[in-house]
């Protein structure tokens, strides 16, 4: 029975999938939405109980306390033996709370947001399936099961990005996410295969024990494995160069962006690295790569976010940038800092997305319905502070947290990462600092463009506050954003000590006043700069971005470093060129020539041999028998001589 | 002569007689009955060879299913009385040659047996060949063939349905 | 005692009981159906018509043995024997009682598979009779019989498979032991109700008894494959059907009703024989009752029911049973 | 018996008889039955070898061969029925051309 309790967080949303998928067509919106939401709430409740029970266990037993083997050998073929089991340790318990907690809030929010959608039931089916899959990923005790969850969340992401598939652009965005993710997934599965080849096991415990036991002798293999795993993480967690799918993924409904593409799924890569930190720590070269890629991602994406006009795209690039912070932390070995930022980011970025959804919702539903303007374009907004007071307040809280204004959650978690960077890796520190400046600037820009000044379109003029079912989750998330920093205060470090059995030694350190001051200054300065630059933008007939005066630098940011164009030119075009070369030259000339030649030869020979074939099957049979008898005779003679 | 050997000889005689009976019977139905008899004899040999599971499967698969299917088709087609079509002119040589070759094959087999049987090592200790052990071996060591055979069966099922479906 | 001699004695005893059972089963059936139809039934030969089977037997034995023209003589004579033998050898593996003395070969580890094999061979009698009679009704009856029995054997096999899975043994002794003799809730009918229902239905179809008696549907096929048979040869078919009925009931009892188990078996092993007999008789009466109650299936419905209902249900039951066993649900481990 | 070789000899004889059946009969059903006889004799040899070496692998092969045989019979008989429907004959010599 205990086992059932342990896996019930997964089973609850699955139950929702089952019910809504089969009966959803006959149920009312309310019933569908609340059923799905309450099941996730139940899942959260159970997670909380498990969390508490885990907390009650003695500290040195917490790693093994929640190891659940269902007693079913999942795969048992030859040398491959993978038990089917789950693991609830401090790390996964924390993730379970984040996934189910934030997930529950977003489910509730979606009841309002998706109201009236013709595929309402399907949306909640996907959403529930996602929560279940994410829990599988998080609770897996082996690489293989984690990969199953990994692929399942990828599937849900794909389905939800293309949820409004009747618009071809959305379907294409879904496909892009799918294809780009596959690249990472191939690397991931190669990493898993290499792990199995090297260690002969796939459960985390066995593999880690293998790493510890064999140390030096497997160093090269571990380096290769971690590199492959990291490439997998770059796909899922949108790190350069595989980050291009995430901005497009904003085509999905906004709750999806909040849940999957900000708070949970995209952090799977960071979670995976924290989970396998034993291996990463045994591969310093990979760690250096990880830190550098993370910091570069933070910078590149932050820079891109500066000039976007789509309210969700800004947040998307911001998400990539913040994921870069977390990945950099993982690369620095500061898994606690990374996880801390993961949690706080889940709070404030979910908050920002949902608030942005509230803005979009208000623009769409209370403006002119057939309005040609884009309800997500910030140039059409402005002055919404008065129309959407509550949304404004929570967006402001989220934005300040993202910018890193103390004492909001984002400040503490970001601070911990940069402190680690300063101690261990100066280039990374510099990159992160610059991206922090960018962050504050685009947050300021976004706040100004959306909420201040005068409304710049009819939609904005007629916007009304969203219903309570949408704002209530916002308030809860805002509260979490305000209080989230307390999870791991400098000098106290509750989260760090809690996680330390799972992610390695942790020792809290007092607040570095100088660094904190610097980053507070950066945050406030960036916000102020954003405010100053955009205070009067887009109000005059001149609709150009004030930053466009920067010329090529502006274009670089606006076009997201031309990466999509580059991929189009190099990968897609290159592939086409190669294909057409293969088709016209190699295939037509070379292979077809050979094939035709062989064909002509065969036809000639066949014409000659055909006379031996009367078409009577028994004649062939006798010929075969002659062969058999001849062979047996031959072996008899050879055998006799051999003796 | 040990009772084992005696039993073997009797059953072997039945098996060979049934095979010959099948070979030379004028009616397909009698041939099928002779074949069933042969299969039954082989099933008993399996019992002697410490393969009780296979013996039972032999009876239920070959006798219980395959041969019933044969009988069914024979009756369905009314094809039990075998026609005596004249041999095609180009095939006159075929039948005598086949008989001669088959006899040569038998002679060779007997020769090998006579020359080498004495040199054969004694049989090893019998292993437990009950359903439990068979099942375990099947799932552990022969998992892939087992899955493949499942697909073969599925394909055969689809094939049979497609072939006999009225267009 | 010499084991061969012992086996011989036991076999003869079982044979005698089976034959007596057959004879009196015909009486029981006629009496019971009469009662269900508010008639009296046979009551002329002996008290309560108890000597009726004897009279019937004498009549059939002394009938002239007719061989119709143009039959395939060898097969025509062989068919009734082929029909009776499997029905009788079925009893070899059934544990009639708790003591080894009450069993022939119940310990073999392929017992349940042996049962399936024997049942599979059992249809040859019908097919051969149908073919050799040189009569279109008989042939159609034979063809129907083979199609029907092959189809329903699958469902039967799946039901038996569920039982084997539960007991994790194919030995009939193990299966009875698994059902915790002495505790009625241990009977597999309570833990495998679907398998039990499938077994019961497919058993009726295997026996070609109502409502599955299309093989000998008199309105369509006169007497089916038995049309051209009379006298002793007919009696043999009749016997094979009733002996098989008893055998099937015995199997149902063994698989689902705890076999010979019952109170005080340990103190008085002979009691187990009594329990077994009572349970078998109950099953037989249910069969007769079904015959008196249900109308016959239509042929296409019969095949559809076998392939589209019983087979999927049986498969589902096997899968669910496997899941329950693997998940270690209480009562399924 | 302290050797399984007589079984192998029997298997060889049955196999040769099966071969002979395939070659001298012209009825497709008869040929098919002869093939079954050949398969069966191969099975017997495998079981004999399994007994000789005290291992289960031979029996496993037999299990697989039986399954394949069942599949083969299902498809083969379906083919024969189809051909019979088209040509009213089960004589393989009537099937001497590749076109239907």
């Amino acid at each position: 029975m205990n086992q059932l309790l342990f896996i019930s967080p997964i089973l609850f949303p699955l139950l929702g999938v089952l019910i809504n998928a089969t009966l959803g067509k006959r149920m009312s919106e309310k019933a569908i939405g609340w059923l799905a939401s309450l099941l996730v709430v139940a899942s959260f409740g159970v997670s909380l109980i498990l969390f508490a029970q885990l907390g009650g266990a003695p500290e040195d037993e917490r790693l093994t306390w929640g190891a659940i083997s269902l007693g079913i050998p999942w795969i048992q073929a030859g040398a491959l033996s993978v038990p089917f089991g789950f693991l609830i340790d401090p790390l996964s318990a924390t993730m379970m709370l984040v996934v189910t907690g934030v997930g529950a809030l977003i489910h509730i929010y979606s009841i309002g947001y998706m109201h009236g959608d013709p595929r309402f039931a399907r949306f909640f089916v996907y959403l529930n399936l996602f929560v279940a899959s994410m829990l599988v990923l998080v609770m897996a005790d082996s690489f293989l099961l984690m990969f199953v969850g990994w692929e399942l969340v990828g599937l849900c992401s794909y389905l939800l990005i293309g949820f409004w598939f009747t618009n071809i652009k959305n379907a294409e965005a879904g496909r892009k996410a799918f294809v780009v993710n596959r690249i990472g997934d191939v690397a991931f599965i190669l990493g898993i295969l290499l792990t199995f080849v090297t260690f002969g096991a796939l459960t985390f415990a066995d593999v880690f024990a293998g790493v510890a036991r064999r140390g030096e002798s497997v160093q090269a293999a571990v380096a290769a494995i971690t590199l492959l795993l990291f490439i997998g993480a770059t796909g899922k967690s949108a790190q350069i160069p595989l980050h291009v799918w995430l901005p497009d993924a904003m085509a999905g409904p906004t709750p999806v962006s909040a849940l999957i593409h900000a708070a949970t799924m995209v952090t799977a890569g960071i979670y995976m690295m924290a989970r396998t930190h034993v291996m990463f720590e045994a591969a310093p070269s990979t760690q250096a790569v990880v830190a550098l890629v993370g910091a570069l991602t933070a910078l590149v994406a932050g820079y891109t976010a500066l000039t976007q006009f789509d309210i969700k795209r800004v947040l998307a690039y911001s998400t990539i940038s913040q994921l870069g912070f977390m990945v950099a932390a993982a690369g620095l070995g500061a898994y606690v800092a990374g996880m801390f930022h993961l949690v706080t980011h889940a709070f404030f970025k979910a908050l920002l997305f949902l608030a942005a959804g509230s803005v979009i919702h208000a623009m769409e539903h209370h403006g002119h319905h057939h309005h040609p303007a884009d309800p997500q374009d910030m140039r059409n907004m402005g002055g919404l502070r008065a129309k959407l007071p509550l949304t404004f307040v929570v967006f402001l809280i989220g934005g300040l947290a993202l910018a890193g204004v103390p004492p909001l959650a984002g400040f503490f978690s970001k601070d911990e990462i940069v402190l680690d960077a300063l101690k261990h890796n100066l280039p990374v520190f510099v990159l992160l600092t610059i991206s922090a400046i960018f962050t504050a600037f685009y947050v300021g820009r976004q706040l100004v463009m959306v909420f201040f000044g005068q409304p710049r379109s009819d939609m904005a003029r007629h916007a009304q506050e969203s219903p309570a079912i949408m704002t209530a989750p916002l308030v809860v998330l805002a509260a979490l954003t305000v209080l989230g920093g307390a999870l791991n205060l400098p000098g106290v470090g509750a989260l760090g000590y809690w996680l330390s059995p799972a992610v390695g030694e942790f020792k809290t350190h007092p607040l570095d006043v100088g660094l904190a001051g610097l980053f507070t200054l950066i945050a406030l300065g960036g916000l102020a700069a954003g405010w100053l630059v955009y205070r009067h933008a887009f109000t005059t007939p001149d609709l150009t971005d004030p930053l466009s005066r920067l010329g090529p630098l502006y274009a670089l940011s606006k076009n997201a470093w031309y990466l999509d164009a580059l991929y189009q030119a190099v990968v897609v075009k290159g592939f086409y060129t190669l294909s057409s070369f293969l088709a016209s030259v190699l295939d037509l000339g070379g292979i077809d020539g050979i094939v035709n030649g062989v064909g002509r030869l065969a036809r000639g020979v066949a014409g000659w041999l055909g006379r031996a074939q009367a078409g009577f099957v028994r004649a062939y049979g006798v010929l075969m028998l002659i062969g058999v008898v001849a062979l047996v005779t031959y072996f008899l003679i050879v055998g006799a001589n051999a003796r | 002569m040990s009772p084992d050997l005696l039993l073997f000889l009797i059953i072997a005689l039945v098996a060979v007689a049934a095979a010959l009976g099948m070979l030379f019977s004028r009616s397909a139905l009698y041939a099928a009955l002779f074949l069933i008899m042969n299969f039954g004899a082989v099933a008993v040999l399996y019992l002697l060879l410490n393969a009780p599971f296979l013996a039972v499967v032999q009876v239920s698969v070959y006798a219980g299913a395959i041969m019933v299917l044969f009988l069914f088709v024979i009756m369905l087609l009314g094809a039990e009385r075998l026609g005596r079509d004249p041999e095609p002119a180009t095939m006159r040589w075929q039948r005598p040659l086949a008989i001669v070759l088959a006899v040569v094959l038998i002679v060779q087999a007997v020769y090998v047996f006579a020359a080498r049987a004495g040199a054969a090592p004694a049989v090893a200790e019998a292993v437990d060949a009950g359903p439990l052990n068979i099942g375990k071996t099947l799932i552990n060591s022969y998992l892939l063939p087992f899955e493949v055979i499942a697909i073969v069966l599925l394909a055969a099922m689809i094939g049979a349905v497609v072939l006999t479906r009225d267009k | 005692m010499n084991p061969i001699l012992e086996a011989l004695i036991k076999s003869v005893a079982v044979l005698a009981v089976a034959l007596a059972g057959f004879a009196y089963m015909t009486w029981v059936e006629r009496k019971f159906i009469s009662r269900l139809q508010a008639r009296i039934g046979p009551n002329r030969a002996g008290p309560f018509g108890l000597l009726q089977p004897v009279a019937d037997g004498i009549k059939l034995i002394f009938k002239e043995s007719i061989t119709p023209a143009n039959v395939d003589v060898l097969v025509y004579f062989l068919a009734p024997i082929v029909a009776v033998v499997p029905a009788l050898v079925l009893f070899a593996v059934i544990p009639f009682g708790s003591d080894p003395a009450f069993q022939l070969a119940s310990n073999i580890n392929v017992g349940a598979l042996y049962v399936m094999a024997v049942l599979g061979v059992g249809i040859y009698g019908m097919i051969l009779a149908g073919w050799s009679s040189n009569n279109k009704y008989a042939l159609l009856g034979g063809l129907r019989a083979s199609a029907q029995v092959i189809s329903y054997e699958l469902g039967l096999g799946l039901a038996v498979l569920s039982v084997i899975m539960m007991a994790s043994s194919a030995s009939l002794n193990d299966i009875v032991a698994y059902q915790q003799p002495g505790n009625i809730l241990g009977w597999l009918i309570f833990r495998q109700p679907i398998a039990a229902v499938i077994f019961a239905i497919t058993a009726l179809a295997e026996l070609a008894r109502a409502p599955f008696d299309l093989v000998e549907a008199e309105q369509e096929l006169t007497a089916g494959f038995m049309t051209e048979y009379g006298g002793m040869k007919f009696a043999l078919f009749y016997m094979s059907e009733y002996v098989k009925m008893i055998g099937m009931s015995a199997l149902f009892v063994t698989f689902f009703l705890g076999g010979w188990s019952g109170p005080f078996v340990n103190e008085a092993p002979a009691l187990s024989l009594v329990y077994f007999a009572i349970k078998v008789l109950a099953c037989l009466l249910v069969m007769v009752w079904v015959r008196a109650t249900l109308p016959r299936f239509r042929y296409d419905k019969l095949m559809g029911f076998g392939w589209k209902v019983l087979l999927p249900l049986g498969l589902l039951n096997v899968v669910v049973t496997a899941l329950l066993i693997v998940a270690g649900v209480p009562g399924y481990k | 018996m302290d050797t399984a070789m007589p079984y192998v000899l029997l298997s060889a004889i049955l196999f040769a008889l099966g071969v002979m059946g395939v070659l001298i009969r012209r009825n497709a059903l008869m040929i098919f039955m002869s093939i079954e006889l050949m398969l069966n004799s191969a099975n017997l040899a495998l079981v004999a070898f399994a007994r000789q070496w005290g291992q289960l692998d031979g029996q496993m092969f037999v299990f697989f061969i039986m399954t394949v045989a069942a599949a083969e019979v299902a498809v083969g008989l379906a083919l024969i029925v189809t051909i019979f429907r088209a040509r009213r004959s089960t004589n393989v010599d009537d099937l001497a051309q590749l076109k239907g």
Side-chain angles (χ1 to χ4, degrees), chain A residues 614-622 625 628, chain D residues 19 22-26 31 92-93 95-96:
Chain A
F616 294 111
V617 68
R618 290 182 302 136
Y620 307 152
V622 169
L625 184 57
V628 170
Chain D
V19 170
V22 170
L23 292 177
I24 65 175
R25 303 306 296 249
R26 275 174 291 173
I31 292 177
V92 290
D93 287 346
L95 304 172

Side-chain angles (χ1 to χ4, degrees), chain A residues 228-555:
Chain A
L228 287 167
L229 294 183
F230 174 61
I231 296 174
T234 47
K236 193 112 295 183
S237 291
Q239 298 297 295
I240 52 172
L242 296 182
H243 67 286
V244 289
W245 63 273
L246 187 57
D248 288 16
M250 296 302 128
T254 306
V256 172
S257 309
L259 178 60
I260 301 184
H261 304 120
T264 54
M265 182 191 84
V266 289
T267 61
I270 291 104
Y271 169 76
M272 185 255 280
M273 284 192 278
R275 171 58 76 209
T276 59
H277 72 103
V278 176
M279 304 176 81
F280 277 87
E281 272 159 13
S285 52
T286 311
Q287 278 198 308
V289 175
V290 173
L292 200 63
V293 169
L296 271 176
T297 305
L299 182 75
V300 166
Y303 185 63
T304 310
L306 293 179
T307 55
Q308 302 302 316
F309 290 127
D310 186 309
I311 185 171
K312 282 175 71 180
R313 251 184 135 72
V314 175
L315 294 176
Y317 279 110
S318 157
T319 302
I320 300 175
S321 171
Q322 297 302 311
L323 289 169
F325 272 84
M326 298 174 214
V327 169
L332 294 167
Y335 299 101
V336 168
M339 287 300 297
F340 183 29
H341 197 54
L342 188 159
V343 174
T344 58
H345 177 260
F347 295 155
F348 66 71
K349 193 50 72 62
L351 171 62
L352 281 171
F353 264 114
L354 293 187
S358 170
V359 169
I360 297 166
H361 192 261
M363 296 275 287
E364 268 176 349
H365 289 252
H366 302 291
H368 293 281
H369 280 279
H370 39 268
H371 203 283
D374 181 357
Q376 301 195 15
D377 192 328
M378 295 193 296
R379 281 172 297 188
N380 294 332
M381 299 176 183
L384 291 177
R385 181 177 39 142
K387 312 276 181 197
L388 314 169
L390 188 62
T391 304
F392 166 65
V393 172
V394 295
F395 199 103
L396 184 67
I397 292 173
L400 294 182
L402 172 57
V405 174
L408 299 172
F411 165 77
F412 290 106
S413 53
K414 194 186 283 183
D415 197 57
E416 258 190 60
I417 296 177
V418 287
L419 184 62
D420 268 301
L422 182 61
K423 277 187 194 158
H424 301 301
N425 195 332
L426 204 57
V428 168
F429 173 74
V430 173
L431 291 172
L432 293 183
T433 309
I434 300 172
S435 39
I437 298 172
F438 290 155
T439 308
F441 183 83
Y442 66 66
V443 169
R445 172 179 180 268
Q446 188 169 35
L447 282 169
V448 174
M449 284 179 75
V450 175
F451 291 103
F452 290 91
Q454 293 303 314
R456 290 185 293 272
S457 71
D458 280 349
M459 290 188 297
R461 268 185 282 282
H462 295 99
Q464 281 173 21
E465 185 61 279
S466 303
I469 195 160
M470 288 170 67
T471 50
L474 290 176
V475 174
V476 177
L477 281 169
L480 286 170
T481 304
V482 173
L483 302 174
L487 283 176
N488 203 27
L489 282 176
V492 183
L495 183 70
Y497 289 118
W498 165 251
L499 288 178
S500 63
V503 300
E505 278 302 302
F506 173 79
K507 201 167 153 11
T508 187
H509 40 72
L511 187 68
D512 184 325
V513 180
L515 193 68
L518 173 66
F519 272 83
T520 310
L521 218 60
I522 286 174
L524 295 176
L527 286 169
W531 162 268
L532 288 174
V533 174
Y534 283 92
R535 194 169 30 149
H536 299 300
F538 309 115
T539 46
T540 54
D542 170 29
L543 286 179
T544 50
D545 192 308
L547 283 186
S548 62
R549 268 167 268 160
L550 293 174
L553 283 179
Y554 172 77

Side-chain angles (χ1 to χ4, degrees), chain C residues 10-332:
Chain C
K10 279 195 217 168
S11 305
V12 171
V14 169
L15 205 63
V17 171
L19 293 185
F22 148 59
Y24 274 89
M25 192 54 219
T26 60
W27 176 82
V28 167
E29 174 159 32
R30 288 171 71 178
K31 268 291 189 199
F32 190 50
I33 285 196
S34 306
R35 292 294 165 182
L36 288 173
Q37 295 170 343
R39 296 188 283 116
I40 297 173
N43 64 347
R44 296 288 136 182
F48 310 109
L50 270 172
L51 292 179
Q52 187 67 38
V54 181
D56 287 344
I58 292 170
K59 182 192 91 171
L60 285 170
I61 289 171
F62 285 103
K63 271 204 160 181
E64 184 189 1
S65 174
I66 299 170
T67 308
N70 291 325
V71 299
D72 190 307
V73 180
L74 179 61
V75 179
Y76 177 78
F77 277 93
L78 216 55
I81 300 167
V82 172
V84 169
V85 171
L88 287 174
V89 297
L90 200 56
F91 289 98
V93 291
I94 294 174
F96 302 103
S98 58
D99 195 279
F102 303 145
Q103 304 167 352
L104 281 167
S106 311
N107 251 335
I108 60 169
N109 56 9
V110 290
L113 301 171
Y114 168 88
V115 167
M116 293 308 300
V118 169
L119 288 176
V121 176
I123 51 171
Y124 279 114
M126 300 187 210
I127 304 183
L128 293 178
W131 176 77
S132 64
S133 297
N134 194 25
N135 172 319
K136 68 180 75 161
Y137 292 128
L139 183 63
L140 281 174
L143 285 178
R144 273 192 182 184
S146 51
Q148 171 177 335
V149 171
I150 287 182
S151 306
Y152 277 78
E153 217 159 72
L154 300 172
L156 188 72
L158 289 172
V160 174
L161 185 59
S162 308
V163 172
I164 295 177
M165 282 162 70
M166 294 291 293
S168 60
S169 167
S171 152
L172 266 57
N173 262 350
D174 290 354
I175 290 173
V176 173
Y178 173 74
Q179 303 182 50
Q180 303 164 4
N183 175 6
I184 195 167
L185 286 176
W187 292 6
L188 271 173
I189 194 170
F190 298 113
R191 281 178 283 169
Q192 283 291 340
I194 299 175
V197 169
I198 293 175
F199 188 97
I201 295 174
T202 49
L204 285 176
E206 282 275 317
L207 296 167
R209 276 192 62 89
F212 302 104
D213 52 347
L214 299 103
V215 172
E216 48 201 89
E218 57 265 26
Q219 292 90 336
E220 305 163 35
L221 297 172
T222 59
F225 60 86
M226 291 186 280
T227 306
E228 299 287 353
Y229 283 89
M232 256 332 270
K233 294 192 284 297
F234 174 73
L236 280 177
F237 277 121
Y238 208 55
M239 174 171 144
S240 86
E241 180 182 335
Y242 278 82
V243 170
K244 234 201 259 179
M245 255 173 85
I246 298 172
M248 276 294 189
S249 304
L251 284 177
F252 189 84
V253 169
T254 306
F255 286 151
F256 296 105
L257 299 182
W260 43 258
S261 64
F264 308 116
V265 166
N266 289 337
E267 289 76 12
L271 264 181
S272 60
L273 281 178
V274 178
Y275 293 134
F276 192 78
I278 290 173
K279 290 176 188 175
V280 169
L281 189 64
C283 291
L284 288 169
L285 287 180
V286 170
M287 276 194 213
V288 175
W289 179 21
V290 167
R291 176 179 166 188
T293 309
L294 293 178
R296 188 181 292 136
F297 263 75
R298 207 172 72 200
Y299 188 65
D300 57 325
K301 297 268 181 199
L302 170 96
M303 295 307 270
F305 184 65
W307 286 101
K308 294 177 193 160
V309 179
L310 285 181
L311 186 60
L313 194 65
L315 282 172
L316 190 71
N317 189 50
V318 166
V319 172
V320 170
T321 304
L323 286 177
L324 290 175
I325 291 173
V326 171
V329 172
Y332 287 89

Side-chain angles (χ1 to χ4, degrees), chain A residues 13-56:
Chain A
L14 275 185
L15 185 67
V17 172
L18 209 67
I19 295 175
N20 278 337
T22 49
L23 305 174
K25 284 222 164 101
R26 277 179 237 156
M27 286 158 58
S28 71
E29 264 190 17
K30 272 231 166 72
I32 294 168
W34 279 110
L35 176 80
S37 307
L38 288 178
L39 282 169
V40 179
V41 170
S43 189
F44 175 70
V46 175
S47 302
L48 213 53
I49 294 170
L50 290 171
F51 187 85
Q53 286 187 357
L54 180 62

Side-chain angles (χ1 to χ4, degrees), chain B residues 7-21 34-42 44-45, chain D residues 10 14:
Chain B
L7 198 53
F8 166 77
L9 281 179
I10 294 170
I11 297 163
L13 212 61
V14 171
V16 172
L20 285 170
F34 276 122
L35 194 54
I36 295 169
M37 198 199 253
N38 177 275
F39 287 166
V42 172
V44 178
L45 291 179
Chain D
L10 174 64
L14 290 179

Side-chain angles (χ1 to χ4, degrees), chain D residues 55-70:
Chain D
Q55 284 170 344
L56 275 184
D57 303 65
Q59 297 199 18
M60 288 294 128
F61 293 152
V62 173
F63 178 81
F64 289 125
I65 293 173
M66 281 183 184
T67 322
V68 172

